[in-house]
Amino acid sequence: MGDGGRERRLPLAPRPLTQPHPSRLAPDHPGRAAIVAAHAAALAAGQAGYQDPATGLFVLTAGFLARRGTCCGRGCRHCPYVDDEPTGDPAPIDDPGR
């Protein structure tokens, strides 16, 4: 690899970090308002993530994921790299528990 073994930085999707892609958090998701509010609070505080209001699981923020510079391909809810996916399906998820 000509880049010293590091992954190539990806461009961010053309949307605010506060707005998740609809394939990752549907506009009609019943907990969307609480999720978006928790995410916004974590972003404003500069935190890496927040507790999902329904499950209590730790969810990474778009800000944290953007600072990583690359997409891990695991279907993160707030992935700042996913844009329009040709199939309409999220990127493949290696871990079904995510």
Side-chain angles (χ1 to χ4, degrees):
M1 283 185 206
D3 61 0
R6 288 179 280 159
E7 293 182 44
R8 182 177 62 88
R9 290 189 70 84
L10 296 174
L12 298 177
R15 66 175 183 280
L17 291 178
T18 55
Q19 180 183 345
H21 191 277
S23 71
R24 302 297 173 92
L25 183 61
D28 61 349
H29 185 286
R32 182 179 174 86
I35 290 168
V36 170
H39 180 250
L43 275 175
Q47 297 171 337
Y50 63 94
Q51 269 195 314
D52 180 272
T55 66
L57 296 174
F58 189 76
V59 180
L60 295 172
T61 65
F64 175 84
L65 296 169
R67 288 188 295 275
R68 281 188 75 237
T70 60
C71 175
C72 66
R74 291 188 167 266
C76 298
R77 178 184 285 165
H78 299 289
C79 181
Y81 304 103
V82 66
D83 194 8
D84 289 329
E85 295 160 306
T87 63
D89 295 329
I93 301 172
D94 298 334
D95 179 359
R98 272 206 148 159

